[in-house]
Structures are given as C-alpha cells and as structure tokens.
Amino acid sequence: MKSYYLLLLTVVLSGYWASLDGQTAPGQGDILITEIMANPSVVSDANGEWIEIRNMTDHDLLLNGLVLKDAGSNHHVLTAAGNLVLPANGYWVLAKNSDILTNGGVEVNYTCQNFTLSNTSDQVILTTADETLIDQVSYDSGWPVVSGASMELHPDHQTFSKNDQSKYWFQAQTIYGAGDKGSPGKPNPASSGSDGWEQEISMQVFPNPSNGKFFLEVKLPNPQPGEIRLINLLGQDFLYKKFSAEHQIKETIEPDFLTPGIWFIKVISGNTAKAVRIITGR
Ligand SMILES: [Ca+2]
Ligand SMILES: [Ca+2]
C-alpha cells in the first residue's frame, strides 16, 4: 500500500515539474499584441487604458523579465515574485489600474504602471530581457483610435507582421464592463471588421425624401478607395460607383433603377462602411 502512495506521489510530482519545464520563454511572434485601449470614455485614460496580448503557441509561456516599452520613455520590466505564466493559446490584459471598480470593469492579469497610450500615435513594443523583439504595434492617426472603444486586431489576421498594418485593426463594437467597447482577455470577434470606424464617416444626403435625385456628401477621415452601393428593402445590393482615396466625395445619385420607395445608400471605404436610408417619392 505504502509503495502505491509513493508511486502516486512520484507521478503527481513529475507531472508538476514537467509542467514547469513546459513553460518556455517566448520568441518572436509567440506573443502578439491583439487589442489596444488607448482612449477609454467611461473612466479616465489614467484609469482605463489597457493592452491585450495573446499566446499564439500551444505551450505556456513565461513572461518574467520581458520588457514592455514604446519608442519614447515608457519602459517596464514584467516582474513578479513567482512565475508570470501566459497560458497556451491564452490572453492576458496588462493595465495601469487593476481595480475592476475604477478601471472601467476590466479584469487585469498584470498591473503595469508607468505605461501610457497616446490617443493619436504611440508604440507598444514587447521584447525579451535581452531586447529580442517579440511583437510590436505602432499606431498613428490613420488607425481606428476613438473615444470609448478599443482597437481590435481582426481574428483572421493575427500574425507578427500583419498587426503592423492599420487595415487589420478595427474599432471594437462589443460593450464590456462599465460601458466602453472592447473584448479584453477574450477572442476578438470577427464582426468588428464589418462596420469598424463607422462613427468616423460623415455622410449627408439631401434632399431626403426626394423625387429621385439625391446629392451625397461623404467625409472620410481615413481616405481609402471604396464604393457607393444602393440597397433596396429586399437587401439586393447594386454597385453605383467606385471612388479613389479622397477625404471628400460629392455625388449626384439618380440611377434609372431607383424606383419609388425606401432605399439605402451605403458607402464602403477600406474597412469602413456607413449606410443612410433614403426615400424616393417619384
Ligand atoms: Ca507586429
Ligand atoms: Ca480581445
């Protein structure tokens, strides 16, 4: 009987040590920066900024000693008395304020003071202790940084190099905690990509209703090539015109097929889309 327990203890202990051995230090691309909340709205930036990272490997990663920094003066070494373990395929949220009652309702895995995120342009750089790059993201005003919503890296484009490009980042659409939008510590929803940046498109249609001739004015803060589409109540979608990357688009819309009733004008530019309902009374 005694030898049975000894055997059991040996098995349990060896499993324990094996799992410690299984935690390795990350290399390039093993961890990706997948979400950034630079401009919270329900709480102050000092209380509500956070970063989400994801373990892209199927083994646990040890984060002790890693460096989180920007191209300026922000520089933080991840430190703890024990092991900082980012689980296999798991997510972590790093934030300045880990108090869920005052940080906008975010569950934080690691508190990282002295790291701030600009609302216009900044860098998030994660390296090993010896400065080997694990991942970095550098954003500027061409990225979807808006008040009250994080930027989410699209789930289909989560690679070391793709997250360097603004076109794979989207304004979050799902509400968390106290009311801001994002998915801290959770997979980024694919749906974010369908109507990201919507708030930033300004679109005017006049007169509306009209006898069939509409004037359209669109302002795009982040100009990218796109198209104007007309959609009827059955959801049938007609390409009306393509446009090149410009800040302002002015069009007169008067196609033959615009029969009396309700239609939608939809403007799609890069990852941005906006639709307006129009009524023709001809
Ligand atoms: Ca990157
Ligand atoms: Ca997320």
Side-chain angles (χ1 to χ4, degrees), residues 179-272:
D180 279 337
K181 291 175 180 174
S183 58
K186 297 187 174 66
N188 297 349
S191 58
S192 296
S194 59
D195 54 357
W197 303 7
E198 188 167 7
Q199 291 164 16
E200 292 190 47
I201 290 189
S202 119
M203 176 160 144
Q204 285 196 310
V205 183
F206 52 91
N208 187 15
S210 136
N211 65 358
K213 186 174 186 175
F214 295 89
F215 298 98
L216 174 68
E217 269 190 28
V218 181
K219 286 180 182 160
L220 300 167
N222 303 294
Q224 293 186 63
E227 52 198 44
I228 299 165
R229 304 191 78 92
L230 292 164
I231 304 166
N232 66 16
L233 269 184
L234 299 174
Q236 291 169 307
D237 184 320
F238 305 89
L239 175 65
Y240 181 67
K241 190 167 188 177
K242 296 199 176 205
F243 55 82
S244 55
E246 288 173 64
H247 272 289
Q248 191 169 39
I249 297 147
K250 289 187 179 183
E251 279 294 333
T252 305
I253 294 180
E254 196 183 13
D256 295 343
F257 58 80
L258 209 62
T259 50
I262 295 169
W263 288 77
F264 295 88
I265 299 176
K266 186 173 187 182
V267 171
I268 302 159
S269 168
N271 300 318
T272 328

Side-chain angles (χ1 to χ4, degrees), residues 49-249:
E49 290 181 354
W50 48 266
I51 295 159
E52 178 189 85
I53 58 173
R54 180 183 179 191
N55 181 344
M56 303 305 291
T57 75
D58 54 11
H59 52 266
D60 294 352
L61 292 171
L62 261 187
L63 306 193
N64 299 65
L66 298 193
V67 177
L68 183 69
K69 60 179 185 173
D70 66 6
S73 58
N74 286 175
H75 189 282
H76 178 92
V77 180
L78 274 71
T79 311
N83 285 345
L84 296 168
V85 180
L86 176 58
N89 303 301
Y91 293 86
W92 255 33
V93 175
L94 291 72
K96 275 194 290 196
N97 177 7
S98 59
D99 182 356
I100 200 164
L101 296 176
T102 57
N103 72 4
V106 188
E107 283 183 45
V108 173
N109 301 92
Y110 183 84
T111 313
C112 185
Q113 279 154 0
N114 308 318
F115 194 87
T116 58
L117 295 161
S118 159
N119 295 345
T120 49
S121 68
D122 210 341
Q123 310 79 37
V124 181
I125 304 166
L126 189 64
T127 75
T128 62
D130 62 0
E131 303 278 304
T132 303
L133 184 63
I134 297 171
D135 188 26
Q136 66 175 346
V137 172
S138 176
Y139 63 86
D140 59 25
S141 55
W143 289 52
V145 185
V146 296
S147 175
S150 70
M151 290 190 288
E152 291 174 330
L153 177 64
H154 194 283
D156 296 343
H157 300 284
Q158 299 197 341
T159 70
F160 171 76
S161 55
K162 275 187 171 178
N163 74 355
D164 298 357
Q165 303 172 56
S166 65
K167 66 180 176 180
Y168 297 122
W169 288 82
F170 299 91
Q171 181 184 318
Q173 306 289 324
T174 2
I175 289 173
Y176 70 86
D180 279 337
K181 291 175 180 174
S183 58
K186 297 187 174 66
N188 297 349
S191 58
S192 296
S194 59
D195 54 357
W197 303 7
E198 188 167 7
Q199 291 164 16
E200 292 190 47
I201 290 189
S202 119
M203 176 160 144
Q204 285 196 310
V205 183
F206 52 91
N208 187 15
S210 136
N211 65 358
K213 186 174 186 175
F214 295 89
F215 298 98
L216 174 68
E217 269 190 28
V218 181
K219 286 180 182 160
L220 300 167
N222 303 294
Q224 293 186 63
E227 52 198 44
I228 299 165
R229 304 191 78 92
L230 292 164
I231 304 166
N232 66 16
L233 269 184
L234 299 174
Q236 291 169 307
D237 184 320
F238 305 89
L239 175 65
Y240 181 67
K241 190 167 188 177
K242 296 199 176 205
F243 55 82
S244 55
E246 288 173 64
H247 272 289
Q248 191 169 39
I249 297 147

